[in-house]
Amino acid sequence: MENGTKKLNNVSSLAVEQPLPKSKLWKIMMVASIAAGVQFGWALQLSLLTPYVQLLGIPHKFASFIWLCGPISGMIVQPVVGYYSDNCTSRFGRRRPFIAAGAALVTIAVFLIGFAADLGRASGDPLGKGSKPRAIAVFVVGFWILDVANNMLQGPCRALLADLSGGKAGRMRTANAFFSFFMAVGNVLGYAAGSYSRLYKIFPFSKTPACDIYCANLKSCFFIAVFLLLSLTTLALTVVRENELPEKDEQEIDEKAAAGGKSKVPFFGEIFGALKDLPRPMWILLLVTCLNWIAWFPFFLYDTDWMAKEVYGGKVGDGRLYDLGVHAGALGLLLNSVVLGFVSLSVEFLGKKIGGVKRLWGILNFVLAVCMGLTVLVTKMAEKSRQYDAHGTLMAPTSGVKIGALTLFAVLGIPLAVTFSVPFALASIFSSNAGSGQGLSLGVLNLAIVVPQMLVSIVGGPWDDLFGGGNLPGFIVGAVAAAASGILALTMLPSPPADAKPATTMGGFH
């Protein structure tokens, strides 16, 4: 009996010391591909929904409050889902049930958003311009559900990628780079669909008395988004199983199941405990990430609105210039996503050439700051070059102004590729070194993303309105935050251990 115990202890010791098993790269790519379906719908939100809610009758200064749905749901849902997916004992796996539930909720949300105008009209909303309170209510409910569903999908997907990486830092960075790449693919498809003004003809029933061509195009885009997401999710969850997870993690789950499925402390106690016990590198990562997203979110929120108003000189619901500007903004986001896709596959290579991914992140935050500052220059160029036809009607901006604005969109794809991959990879690496659960650790990181989003959503509209109702004041704040994020990344953020061990990092690619 004593010999058997010693043997068992030796086996356990070897299990801990030996490298954890890695899944085949194609399986990691399959799971990462779900990001394309998620991001397709997110791209539609970013490019079309801010103009859409204003067409429903919500003023610009209040439109940003609609976007509180995302950060609030992210602040609650991702940590909750991450925590319970770490401890899930379902026979279908830890992460897969949450991913499947998220995909189902997306379908419901898209139906509510797409048919908000029709349901509002059926409930008594008037046709034509003006506020449509019932449609707005349906839209907000659908938007909340959509953001909850997206958070249910993304957190477990990234955690599953970390699980399948077998604890290897290089493979974790590669997995997150693929996730970022497929986000770019989803963006390209979403922005391409959003920029095509006749997509509604594929679904003729989408155009109704309450839903004009713009609304019908949005509805048609969401139909395609649901089909893409459900197809990719079903394929990934069918092909990739979770029976390759490290034995140590499975043993921890079994022990919790044997104890009645209850953790030692309630969920929120676990969250506060995780925050209290965070190592210094994670705290610095949270700070850098927080400033980074204060920089990004004003652009995400108002990019197409900036193109339509400041660059094209259009007004919401008045004339064709605003619509042309929105479609031009969607084209800019399409270019942004193409650059994002190419750079995502090069993050690991660029990090090695520059001296580490954290240095790469810091440098590109300065690129982000410069680009946000240049929106002021492009806006001033557009204002100085305004042209009118013989009837006194304002014309579209000159080619030089258009090229300048589209170039900014494209260049921003470079720092965005790092934002979508490096922080998550660093969180996975730091949490693995500290022995934390991947789902909970990524949920904690998500707090550093959603808190600045909430801040921008609350103060962004009134802040811009204070300076005349434009989008530039928020962009300037973003430029300052990006510069601060870059300074902290270069001076305070520690390099992950694998950056100092090239052999280990290279091993992640085999």
Side-chain angles (χ1 to χ4, degrees):
M1 183 71 177
E2 183 178 352
N3 292 335
T5 302
K6 289 181 179 179
K7 183 177 180 180
L8 180 60
N9 288 336
N10 290 336
V11 171
S12 300
S13 177
L14 288 173
V16 174
E17 293 174 1
Q18 288 177 348
L20 298 173
K22 297 180 299 183
S23 293
K24 294 180 180 178
L25 192 59
W26 69 267
K27 292 186 177 181
I28 289 177
M29 292 178 65
M30 289 292 296
V31 174
S33 70
I34 297 176
V38 175
Q39 201 66 19
F40 187 102
W42 184 242
L44 297 176
Q45 293 184 55
L46 294 177
S47 62
L48 299 179
L49 287 192
T50 292
Y52 179 59
V53 298
Q54 293 182 69
L55 289 175
L56 291 178
I58 301 177
H60 175 273
K61 66 179 179 179
F62 295 121
S64 62
F65 288 100
I66 297 294
W67 289 88
L68 278 173
C69 305
I72 290 177
S73 65
M75 183 173 62
I76 299 173
V77 173
Q78 276 217 27
V80 170
V81 170
Y83 172 74
Y84 284 107
S85 69
D86 282 340
N87 300 288
C88 180
T89 58
S90 168
R91 64 187 180 91
F92 298 106
R94 292 199 286 182
R95 320 294 184 188
R96 294 162 79 237
F98 295 95
I99 296 173
L105 282 177
V106 167
T107 305
I108 297 173
V110 163
F111 172 82
L112 292 175
I113 292 175
F115 288 89
D118 298 302
L119 293 173
R121 172 58 180 165
S123 302
D125 278 346
L127 293 174
K129 297 181 179 180
S131 179
K132 301 175 176 60
R134 295 168 183 83
I136 292 171
V138 173
F139 170 83
V140 170
V141 170
F143 198 37
W144 272 87
I145 296 175
L146 182 61
D147 281 308
V148 167
N150 282 338
N151 282 294
M152 284 188 69
L153 277 165
Q154 293 199 59
C157 275
R158 287 191 184 271
L160 180 54
L161 289 174
D163 292 339
L164 297 175
S165 298
K168 301 296 183 181
R171 181 57 63 95
M172 287 181 189
R173 290 200 299 270
T174 302
N176 279 280
F178 275 122
F179 195 88
S180 178
F181 169 76
F182 281 109
M183 290 177 75
V185 172
N187 278 339
V188 169
L189 296 176
Y191 295 140
S195 64
Y196 184 53
S197 60
R198 298 184 179 180
L199 192 64
Y200 72 96
K201 292 187 176 180
I202 301 176
F203 306 97
F205 61 87
S206 61
K207 187 175 183 296
T208 65
C211 186
D212 60 12
I213 292 178
Y214 186 90
C215 170
N217 275 322
L218 177 65
K219 192 186 299 182
S220 301
C221 288
F222 274 123
F223 291 153
I224 299 173
V226 167
F227 174 77
L228 178 63
L229 176 61
L230 293 181
S231 299
L232 292 173
T233 302
T234 301
L235 182 61
L237 297 186
T238 301
V239 173
V240 180
R241 301 289 178 178
E242 292 188 64
N243 57 4
E244 300 177 52
L245 295 181
E247 293 181 3
K248 185 180 72 170
D249 290 342
E250 292 179 347
Q251 182 179 353
E252 290 173 356
I253 294 173
D254 291 338
E255 289 174 355
K256 290 182 179 180
K262 296 181 180 179
S263 58
K264 295 181 180 179
V265 292
F267 161 70
F268 286 105
E270 188 85 0
I271 282 290
F272 289 124
L275 287 171
K276 181 180 178 181
D277 298 332
L278 279 180
R280 185 173 181 272
M282 275 297 295
W283 277 113
I284 298 173
L285 175 62
L286 294 180
L287 179 58
V288 175
T289 301
C290 181
L291 289 170
N292 192 214
W293 278 90
I294 289 177
W296 274 116
F297 202 61
F299 183 75
F300 286 157
L301 187 60
Y302 294 122
D303 43 23
T304 54
D305 193 61
W306 169 71
M307 182 70 91
K309 285 182 177 178
E310 275 86 352
V311 178
Y312 272 71
K315 297 180 180 179
V316 178
D318 184 17
R320 65 186 186 89
L321 278 181
Y322 188 86
D323 290 339
L324 288 174
V326 169
H327 286 298
L331 175 60
L333 292 172
L334 177 62
L335 296 174
N336 174 279
S337 299
V338 171
V339 175
L340 167 65
F342 281 108
V343 177
S344 295
L345 296 178
S346 307
V347 168
E348 186 76 2
F349 171 79
L350 293 174
K352 291 177 182 178
K353 291 296 183 182
I354 291 179
V357 290
K358 75 109 175 183
R359 182 176 296 180
L360 175 65
W361 191 18
I363 293 173
L364 290 182
N365 273 335
F366 287 108
V367 174
L368 169 60
V370 171
C371 288
M372 294 295 284
L374 286 176
T375 58
V376 177
L377 177 61
V378 172
T379 299
K380 297 303 180 183
M381 289 173 56
E383 291 174 351
K384 287 184 178 181
S385 61
R386 297 278 192 236
Q387 296 179 352
Y388 297 84
D389 62 16
H391 302 286
T393 303
L394 180 63
M395 300 173 63
T398 62
S399 298
V401 171
K402 293 179 186 176
I403 292 173
L406 293 176
T407 300
L408 281 183
F409 275 84
V411 172
L412 282 169
I414 301 174
L416 188 59
V418 174
T419 297
F420 281 166
S421 58
V422 169
F424 300 96
L426 291 178
S428 293
I429 294 168
F430 293 152
S431 63
S432 292
N433 293 339
S436 306
Q438 290 293 338
L440 183 59
S441 298
L442 291 171
V444 170
L445 176 67
N446 195 58
L447 295 177
I449 298 174
V450 299
V451 170
Q453 288 184 15
M454 291 175 61
L455 177 65
V456 173
S457 295
I458 292 173
V459 305
W463 172 258
D464 287 340
D465 194 56
L466 183 65
F467 291 92
N471 297 299
L472 293 183
F475 290 175
I476 295 301
V477 171
V480 174
S485 179
I487 292 172
L488 291 178
L490 291 174
T491 59
M492 295 183 63
L493 185 66
S495 297
D499 277 0
K501 299 178 182 179
T504 303
T505 302
M506 291 299 293
F509 289 93
H510 296 306

